[in-house]
């Protein structure tokens, strides 16, 4: 692999560091971000070289912070961008697309961030990867560690959906439930990262991890024929995805892959029971006040104290987007709407996105003339508990034609008037 990575730079004070396992600035505690030689990328990378790359997110390797080793790639990313005509008709958005992240190897967009982080962990010489997770991250870490022949230790809050627990433990990963909120799990992992020689993908490897999120935007532009959309709707947990999506469109322009300066309005989506960023947006506040006890059914988004919350808030505001929240009932209705109109079954986080998409369209924040992309980030089989009795069999009948006729009524028969 050719690398264009130059090192890590503090987002707040600009201090520079070598590309090692480190996530915060020693001077000011600001978050660190990889920086790249964009001029060299511009000279080496074209639409053609990308098209000739693998049918996974690794076709964008030049923009990723992995240096030497072969990537740990389960076929991550390069998911379909579906023209959503039927959903668009319901919402009054004729130019709507859905990026279908349910198709990833572990059925959520977390495969993108983990593919980068596990590749980097191996390159830095780690033998064990770990994470603080709301569910999907643990699943993705466990699968990628197994494929890379590494050990995995994953930490989750109690009370997660059973599908996500089984789908993590099955790979042989050590799955540790912590009796507390995600924020308490995350704090524990921060302390554990100092004690154990592990690569916590979203703690000490967070700068690399977050970069994987950019690929969802690169693919979007490529799939739109090398154009940026006008408006995107992104679910927000830590805020990393939203912030990286916004940045990724600017990167593409900086290396000459987009003909025009992108002007993408970026909107965020949260669940009402855990919506610190949406609350700050509504109040016009500059700070994101943490939510102590998240209650939303969108458990994968239930981060009360989001690490990138303030940056996500700024991106939404400065781009002319909005951050909005959906109630549990709205989330479940939106899951049904997406499934009925587009044939895509999403987890609760996707319901949050589609519900917020609908609300922002109804309020005129998202306009009918805009090309809109909604990021549907995870698959519905992972959150069956949350749907309870909502999606059930229409009937249970005896194996007899009379029983079927009794259920259907007369009007359904061939030749009925
Ligand atoms: C983690 C996650 C998100 C949001 O991720 P952040 O980058 O932490 O904001 C969105 N959707 C799903 C399904 C997730 O698992
Ligand atoms: Zn700093």
């Amino acid at each position: 692999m050719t690398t264009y990575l130059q090192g890590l730079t503090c987002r707040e004070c600009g201090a520079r560091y070598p590309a090692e396992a480190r996530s915060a600035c020693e001077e000011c505690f600001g978050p660190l971000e990889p920086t790249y030689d964009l001029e060299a990328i511009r000279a080496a990378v074209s639409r053609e070289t990308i098209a000739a790359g693998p049918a996974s997110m690794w076709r964008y390797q030049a923009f990723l912070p992995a240096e030497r080793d072969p990537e740990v790639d389960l076929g991550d990313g390069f998911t379909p961008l579906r023209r959503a005509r039927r959903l668009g008709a319901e919402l009054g958005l004729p130019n709507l697309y859905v990026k279908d992240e349910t198709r990833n190897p572990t059925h959520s967009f977390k495969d993108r961030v983990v593919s980068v982080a596990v590749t980097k962990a191996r390159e830095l010489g780690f033998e064990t990867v770990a994470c603080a997770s709301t569910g999907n991250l643990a699943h993705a870490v466990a699968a990628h560690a197994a494929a890379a022949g590494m050990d995995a230790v994953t930490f989750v809050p109690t009370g997660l959906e059973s599908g996500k627990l089984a789908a993590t433990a099955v790979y042989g990963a050590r799955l540790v439930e912590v009796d507390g909120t995600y924020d308490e799990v995350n704090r524990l992992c921060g302390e554990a990262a100092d004690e154990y020689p592990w690569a916590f993908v979203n703690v000490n490897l967070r700068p690399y991890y977050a970069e994987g999120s950019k690929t969802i935007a690169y693919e979007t532009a490529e799939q739109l024929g090398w154009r940026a959309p006008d408006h995107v709707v992104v679910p927000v947990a830590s805020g990393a995805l939203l912030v990286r999506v916004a940045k990724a469109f600017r990167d593409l322009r900086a290396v000459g892959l987009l003909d025009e300066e992108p002007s993408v309005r970026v909107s965020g989506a949260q669940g009402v029971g855990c919506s610190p960023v949406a609350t700050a947006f509504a109040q016009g506040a500059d700070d994101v006040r943490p939510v102590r006890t998240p209650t939303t059914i969108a458990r994968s988004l239930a981060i009360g104290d989001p690490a990138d919350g303030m940056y996500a808030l700024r991106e939404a505001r400065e781009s002319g987007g909005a951050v909005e929240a959906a109630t549990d009932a709205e989330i479940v209705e939106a899951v049904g709407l997406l499934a009925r109109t587009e044939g895509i079954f999403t987890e609760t986080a996707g319901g949050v996105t589609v519900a917020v998409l609908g609300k922002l369209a109804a309020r005129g924040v998202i306009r009918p003339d805009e090309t809109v992309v909604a990021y549907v980030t995870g698959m519905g089989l992972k959150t069956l508990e949350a749907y309870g009795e909502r999606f059930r069999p229409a009937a249970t009948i005896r194996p007899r034609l009379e029983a079927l006729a009794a259920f259907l009524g007369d009007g359904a028969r061939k030749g009925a008037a």
Side-chain angles (χ1 to χ4, degrees), residues 123-172:
E123 181 192 306
L124 292 171
F126 287 98
E127 288 164 7
T128 300
V129 287
C131 66
S133 173
T134 56
N136 286 325
L137 184 58
H139 184 188
V141 163
H144 286 78
M150 300 171 82
D151 289 330
V153 191
T154 59
F155 296 85
V156 297
T158 47
L160 288 190
E161 303 90 344
S162 58
K164 287 179 184 166
L165 300 179
T168 300
V170 69
Y171 297 103

Side-chain angles (χ1 to χ4, degrees), residues 108-110 134 136 235-241 300-301 303 347 349 377-378:
S108 86
F109 104 95
K110 289 296 195 300
T134 56
N136 286 325
V236 173
S238 73
L241 174 62
S300 55
L301 304 183
I303 296 184
E347 72 157 80
T377 46

Side-chain angles (χ1 to χ4, degrees), residues 72-283:
V72 181
D73 182 5
L74 299 183
D76 304 299
F78 210 52
T79 55
L81 181 72
R82 295 261 312 273
R83 181 78 193 259
R85 285 202 173 77
R86 283 167 41 76
L87 178 61
E90 291 275 339
L91 304 180
L93 298 173
N95 306 307
L96 176 64
Y97 294 79
V98 168
K99 185 75 166 148
D100 182 4
E101 290 287 295
T102 70
R103 306 284 199 98
N104 275 299
T106 72
H107 312 296
S108 86
F109 104 95
K110 289 296 195 300
D111 285 316
R112 297 176 184 273
V113 286
V114 168
S115 188
V116 174
V118 173
T119 300
K120 193 69 187 179
R122 196 169 59 179
E123 181 192 306
L124 292 171
F126 287 98
E127 288 164 7
T128 300
V129 287
C131 66
S133 173
T134 56
N136 286 325
L137 184 58
H139 184 188
V141 163
H144 286 78
M150 300 171 82
D151 289 330
V153 191
T154 59
F155 296 85
V156 297
T158 47
L160 288 190
E161 303 90 344
S162 58
K164 287 179 184 166
L165 300 179
T168 300
V170 69
Y171 297 103
R174 265 182 286 171
L175 170 61
V176 182
E177 278 189 315
V178 178
D179 191 8
T181 63
Y182 171 81
D183 292 300
E184 292 170 306
V185 175
N186 193 42
R187 200 172 314 128
L188 173 64
C189 287
E191 292 165 10
D194 291 336
E195 292 289 322
Y196 300 92
W198 300 343
F200 280 85
V201 301
N202 57 338
V203 181
N204 47 349
L205 264 64
R206 187 169 181 84
Y208 309 103
Y209 155 98
E211 291 291 281
S213 297
K214 297 188 305 184
T215 59
I216 200 171
Y218 297 152
E219 290 170 18
T220 302
E222 183 182 358
Q223 289 165 322
L224 288 173
W226 293 108
R227 277 188 312 117
D230 301 315
H231 208 135
V232 294
V233 182
V234 187
V236 173
S238 73
L241 174 62
L242 185 146
V243 171
R244 291 320 179 294
V245 162
K247 177 168 185 293
F249 290 116
R250 296 194 286 266
D251 284 354
L252 288 180
R253 172 64 182 166
V255 301
L257 285 166
L258 295 181
D259 296 329
E260 288 166 29
E261 199 58 54
S263 90
V264 185
R265 301 170 70 203
V266 180
S267 288
Q270 299 201 292
V272 161
C274 184
S275 51
V277 184
T279 303
F281 185 88
Q283 295 174 345

Side-chain angles (χ1 to χ4, degrees), residues 276 280 285-289 310 313 317:
D286 290 327
D287 296 326
V288 174
R289 300 245 317 272
M310 192 183 67
L313 178 65
R317 226 176 239 156

Side-chain angles (χ1 to χ4, degrees), residues 26-38:
E26 280 179 1
E27 309 291 324
C28 76
F29 303 107
L32 302 182
E33 283 184 323
T35 42
Y36 304 86
D37 183 348
L38 290 180

